[in-house]
């Protein structure tokens, strides 16, 4: 078993070491699919989210052991990098890789986010009165792209937000699929919104503000964003998607 702990949370090292044994019988399950996330309390009463990545298939176990970075490690290191660039994400506490020889399950531990909303709420197509959220989100994304950060699964559940201290704040999560130190140009950046739920107007508003923030041509950004949305969702029929 390999354990890496954020130096700011060394006091939790012993508890983190016990997480694999505690996980299945502690805390509250807040997500349960192929991977599972539990809300847990550390001994110092800190609320943390612990994500257990499922055991990969045999050949993937070989790949993650010898050729690719495990998902928990990637997510932890990407979170540390985001914070170093001033891009908000839940603070990473540590990660655990289990298995003797080949990788089995792995765990990512972060502080619980203080943001309570996510972009699924735009799936009903209603953006009236929410335009300022979209404008602020466009600027947050532009800042990330300028820092050469590109989330490869920029989908509704991976974007948290809330109104705190008089402004909209955002965090991106599920960071194991991400490019860093990679130039994000107009085409690549405008396409990053394709997975968002909502009607075309949502993408138009975001793309326009994104263009203004980065000094791009708004018409081109809108055209690319709308095309990327249609290309993505036409292959994945969904009740919210209106074929304009």
């Amino acid at each position: 078993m390999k354990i890496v702990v954020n130096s700011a949370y060394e006091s939790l090292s012993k508890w983190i070491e016990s997480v694999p044994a505690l996980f299945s019988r502690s805390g509250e399950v807040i997500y349960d699919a192929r991977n599972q996330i539990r809300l847990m309390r550390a001994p110092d009463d800190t609320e943390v989210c612990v994500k257990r990545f499922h055991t990969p298939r045999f050949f993937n176990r070989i790949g993650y052991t010898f050729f690719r970075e495990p998902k928990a490690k990637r997510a932890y290191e990407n979170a540390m990098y985001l914070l170093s660039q001033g891009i908000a994400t839940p603070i990473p506490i540590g990660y655990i890789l289990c298995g003797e020889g080949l990788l089995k399950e792995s765990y990512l531990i972060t502080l619980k986010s203080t943001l309570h909303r996510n972009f699924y709420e735009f799936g009903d197509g209603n953006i009236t009165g929410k335009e300022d959220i979209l404008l602020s989100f466009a600027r947050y994304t532009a800042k990330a792209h300028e820092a050469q950060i590109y989330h490869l699964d920029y989908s509704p559940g991976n974007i948290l937000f809330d109104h705190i201290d008089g402004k909209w704040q955002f965090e991106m999560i599920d960071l194991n699929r991400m490019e860093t130190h990679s130039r994000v140009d107009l085409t690549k950046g405008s396409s990053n919104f394709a997975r968002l739920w909502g009607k075309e107007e949502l993408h138009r508003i975001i793309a326009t503000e994104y263009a203004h923030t980065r000094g791009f041509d708004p018409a081109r950004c809108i055209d690319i964003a709308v095309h990327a949305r249609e290309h993505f969702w036409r292959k994945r029929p969904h009740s919210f998607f209106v074929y304009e």
Side-chain angles (χ1 to χ4, degrees):
M1 185 165 67
K2 177 180 179 180
I3 300 174
V4 171
V5 180
N6 184 335
S7 59
Y9 294 91
E10 286 288 346
S11 61
L12 297 179
S13 293
K14 286 291 185 182
W15 178 78
I16 291 171
E17 186 176 342
S18 70
V19 162
L22 294 172
F23 186 82
S24 295
R25 51 188 173 84
S26 301
E28 172 191 356
V29 176
I30 59 175
Y31 178 83
D32 193 12
R34 190 165 67 163
N35 304 312
Q36 187 179 97
I37 302 175
R38 287 178 178 258
L39 184 62
M40 301 173 70
R41 283 192 180 274
D44 64 355
D45 212 34
T46 300
E47 281 194 296
V48 302
C49 283
V50 182
K51 181 174 184 177
R52 181 179 65 189
F53 293 89
H54 74 289
T55 300
R57 294 179 179 177
F58 178 73
F59 287 108
N60 285 335
R61 291 178 67 192
I62 295 173
Y64 285 129
T65 301
F66 299 108
F67 305 109
R68 297 180 61 197
E69 300 286 9
K71 292 181 179 180
K73 180 180 180 181
R74 274 185 276 149
Y76 174 85
E77 292 180 347
N78 284 338
M80 294 293 280
Y81 180 73
L82 260 65
L83 295 174
S84 76
Q85 299 301 306
I87 307 300
T89 190
I91 296 174
I93 294 175
Y95 70 88
I96 305 167
L97 307 179
C98 299
E100 295 182 8
L102 298 181
L103 177 73
K104 292 181 68 178
E105 71 270 12
S106 56
Y107 299 81
L108 173 71
I109 304 102
T110 69
L111 286 186
K112 179 189 175 186
S113 175
T114 59
L115 310 185
H116 299 97
R117 298 165 69 178
N118 63 46
F119 262 57
Y120 281 122
E121 72 177 66
F122 290 100
D124 62 3
N126 181 18
I127 59 175
T128 303
K130 298 180 179 180
E131 294 86 353
D132 193 44
I133 300 171
L134 302 179
L135 299 178
S136 297
F137 169 66
R139 293 190 288 269
Y140 168 80
T141 305
K143 182 179 178 181
H145 289 175
E146 289 286 348
Q148 300 186 332
I149 293 165
Y150 191 80
H151 201 309
L152 293 168
D153 187 11
Y154 214 35
S155 51
N158 291 337
I159 301 162
L160 308 180
F161 72 96
D162 221 325
H163 199 253
I164 298 176
D165 296 330
K167 62 181 180 180
W168 292 106
Q169 298 186 18
F170 300 85
E171 292 177 349
M172 59 179 83
I173 60 174
D174 202 6
L175 307 183
N176 55 282
R177 295 184 60 216
M178 174 170 287
E179 293 178 0
T180 59
H181 304 90
S182 176
R183 181 173 175 267
V184 184
D185 61 14
L186 182 152
T187 300
K188 187 173 182 177
S190 301
S191 300
N192 204 193
F193 307 108
R195 296 172 181 246
L196 297 183
W197 292 22
K199 295 184 179 179
E200 185 177 307
E201 184 60 21
L202 175 143
H203 290 75
R204 288 181 172 272
I205 290 173
I206 292 172
T208 301
E209 184 65 15
Y210 177 82
H212 289 152
T213 303
R214 296 199 66 190
F216 293 153
D217 175 26
R220 286 190 63 202
C221 285
I222 292 170
D223 183 62
I224 292 168
V226 170
H227 177 77
R229 167 187 180 265
E230 292 180 355
H231 178 75
F232 183 82
W233 285 109
R234 282 187 186 277
K235 297 179 179 179
R236 303 165 179 84
H238 197 287
S239 59
F240 81 84
F241 186 77
V242 177
Y243 294 90
E244 291 92 354

